[in-house]
Amino acid sequence: MGKKKINIAMIGGGFMGKAHSNAWRRVNEFFDTDFEPVLKVIAGNKTPLEDFAERWGYEEVTYDWRSVMERDDIDVVDIGTPTYEHKEMAIAAAKAGKHIVCEKPFTLTYADAKEMLDAAEKAGVVHYLNHNYRRAPAVAYAKQLIEEGRLGTIYHWRGAYLQDWITDPDFPLSWQLQKDKAGGGPLFDLSSHAVDLARYLIGEPEAVTAVNKTFIKKRPLPGVGATAFTAGTGASATEFGDVEVDDASFAVVEFANGALGSIESSRFAVGRKNYNYFEVYGSKGAIIFNLERMNELQYLDFTHDSKEQGFRTIMVTESDHPYVSAWWPPGHIIGYEHTFVNAFNDFLNAVAGKGTVKPDFHDGAQIIRILEAMRKSSDEGRRVAVSEIE
Ligand code: SOE
């Protein structure tokens, strides 16, 4: 039987536009969804998208994203733009009855997040927030081990998300470093992932004690050609602007289930490119994950005789590990882009009425609430209960 076509409007033709377009194209080649995704429109503001459309096979280009909301032939709006644009786009998509994929960080404030959630819930559409690392097989397998009780009572979460791409003081004040566009620095960009993983794997943070730090307080205003990961023309700039976001954020996290943990993020950890790392310690065992070795999970079984205890490395590439049967034989590892394909399979299943897809806008709102609590804690120099953020 032929698959039902599902028409996608992608907004944003940058890093995420590319990652998402690849996932839409690949998903049916590896998974068996009920739908055939059709890349109908790529929408953006000003950067020319004609080449992008040709490369990825979009039928049309528009520089007016609002026009896609008015079209009856669009089923899914996929938002891959800078954070400050998510709210207006997601609410417009929900009001137009479109299913929504939204990139992280969800939005700038908890108040905005609640509005987005409300609009999506009222519309009854499927809403998915793309924290893609949940879909690394090793992370999903860690979840299985925890749910099976293999770690026992969870005592600790240690999460660190470390990068180094703005250590050069000449790196310009790109949108990721502007508070009104990004919401925060690594606190929003990277700790959002760590908070998502912590909530997914061990539970709800209840209170936080955080310190955020900005090392470089003024930076060159971005010149032509400055992009997210290059210094652009910053070095020759004559005009400077204030950096209003954090460069690093360290938080102690108290979980509602009694666990105690930490979440840290930085763009100044030299040598760390995309070091998304966590450790979970429980009464019966422990696990360690590092995205830079994303096909592996370190596992310690604390019920073993102490003479034989030690972390062992599980290659999460067996066909009965999560998502793996869609890909390659044992030992044939997958990469970053596959997490997006795995996610879009789950999203399409939710649209088909086969289960739900998480994280959704509920999770998005709670993640932003926790990040706001971390900022408040740092600003006020005190422990903040997440419930204080209203
Ligand atoms: C840049 O810091 C970035 O691309 C984040 O925005 C992503 O969410 C993360 O997955 C990798 O780093």
Side-chain angles (χ1 to χ4, degrees):
M1 210 180 65
K3 290 179 187 286
K4 192 174 177 303
K5 288 188 175 5
I6 188 164
N7 291 336
I8 317 290
M10 173 83 228
I11 315 182
F15 175 22
M16 281 307 116
K18 193 168 154 183
H20 287 217
S21 302
N22 177 62
W24 289 125
R25 287 182 61 124
R26 292 286 85 84
V27 64
N28 267 356
E29 290 167 355
F30 290 91
F31 291 92
D32 196 17
T33 75
D34 289 4
F35 295 106
E36 179 192 331
V38 177
L39 297 184
K40 204 77 185 162
V41 196
I42 175 80
N45 293 336
K46 41 189 185 306
T47 317
L49 289 168
E50 276 67 20
D51 287 352
F52 187 97
E54 194 175 279
R55 179 179 290 258
W56 291 103
Y58 284 92
E59 291 176 13
E60 297 169 44
V61 174
T62 178
Y63 295 98
D64 171 17
W65 63 262
R66 284 182 184 80
S67 66
V68 305
M69 310 300 176
E70 288 152 19
R71 293 173 56 155
D72 291 339
D73 63 343
I74 298 297
D75 303 302
V76 175
V77 169
D78 183 352
I79 303 169
T81 59
T83 315
Y84 70 101
E85 295 183 312
H86 294 180
K87 178 187 171 190
E88 202 184 352
M89 290 172 178
I91 290 176
K95 285 193 172 148
K98 314 295 184 197
H99 300 301
I100 310 170
V101 172
C102 183
E103 247 318 305
K104 51 61 61 181
F106 188 39
T107 187
L108 303 177
T109 65
Y110 182 49
D112 286 355
K114 284 190 287 188
E115 279 185 56
M116 292 161 79
L117 169 61
D118 190 51
E121 288 286 275
K122 280 203 179 109
V125 297
V126 173
H127 42 95
Y128 168 63
L129 174 69
N130 191 43
H131 279 289
N132 56 306
Y133 298 121
R134 284 193 189 199
R135 263 85 190 177
V139 173
Y141 185 53
K143 170 82 171 167
Q144 277 183 12
L145 289 175
I146 292 168
E147 278 186 347
E148 284 167 13
R150 303 279 286 280
L151 268 57
T153 305
I154 305 297
Y155 294 122
H156 293 304
W157 167 273
R158 291 186 68 205
Y161 201 149
L162 308 177
Q163 300 181 339
D164 69 358
W165 53 284
I166 63 167
T167 46
D168 180 353
D170 286 332
F171 188 96
L173 200 61
S174 66
W175 74 263
Q176 289 94 340
L177 280 72
Q178 296 171 32
K179 191 168 179 211
D180 58 343
K181 293 200 167 61
L187 173 68
F188 268 56
D189 187 22
L190 303 179
S191 290
S192 61
H193 277 308
V195 170
D196 178 60
L197 291 179
R199 292 181 70 247
Y200 172 56
L201 290 170
I202 77 159
E204 202 61 69
E206 198 174 47
V208 296
T209 309
V211 176
N212 300 332
K213 180 110 189 160
T214 306
F215 301 114
I216 309 283
K217 301 219 166 20
K218 283 193 188 295
R219 286 186 181 270
L221 295 180
V224 179
T227 66
F229 298 100
T230 65
T233 55
S236 56
T238 48
E239 279 185 82
F240 289 76
D242 293 330
V243 179
E244 287 168 353
V245 300
D246 53 285
D247 285 334
S249 169
F250 281 51
V252 172
V253 182
E254 294 165 66
F255 291 86
N257 60 11
L260 179 63
S262 62
I263 287 182
E264 63 185 86
S265 60
S266 175
R267 292 171 173 157
F268 279 72
V270 294
R272 300 299 192 193
K273 300 300 166 190
N274 201 30
Y275 188 85
N276 182 0
Y277 177 90
F278 63 76
E279 299 174 348
V280 184
Y281 297 96
S283 56
K284 290 191 190 160
I287 50 176
I288 301 178
F289 172 79
N290 173 7
L291 182 72
E292 292 180 350
R293 301 191 69 92
M294 64 171 279
N295 291 273
E296 298 172 4
L297 191 67
Q298 304 284 322
Y299 171 58
L300 172 113
D301 189 337
F302 197 57
T303 64
H304 283 171
D305 187 303
S306 60
K307 294 196 293 301
E308 291 170 18
Q309 266 171 33
F311 279 92
R312 57 192 162 94
T313 303
I314 301 172
M315 282 293 286
V316 189
T317 56
E318 295 299 310
S319 62
D320 48 359
H321 281 134
Y323 300 109
V324 174
S325 63
W327 297 102
W328 314 117
H332 295 69
I333 55 179
I334 62 165
Y336 171 73
E337 74 273 23
H338 299 84
T339 61
F340 292 77
V341 186
N342 294 345
F344 287 10
N345 169 64
D346 295 350
F347 173 80
L348 289 175
N349 283 340
V351 174
K354 298 175 178 170
T356 52
V357 64
K358 302 273 279 173
D360 60 13
F361 286 11
H362 286 281
D363 299 295
Q366 190 63 16
I367 293 167
I368 298 297
R369 191 181 194 193
I370 294 161
L371 300 179
E372 279 197 17
M374 288 177 180
R375 180 154 48 209
K376 191 178 178 66
S377 166
S378 178
D379 289 350
E380 298 180 11
R382 66 178 180 90
R383 174 181 180 273
V384 169
V386 175
S387 59
E388 290 180 44
I389 309 297
E390 289 175 354

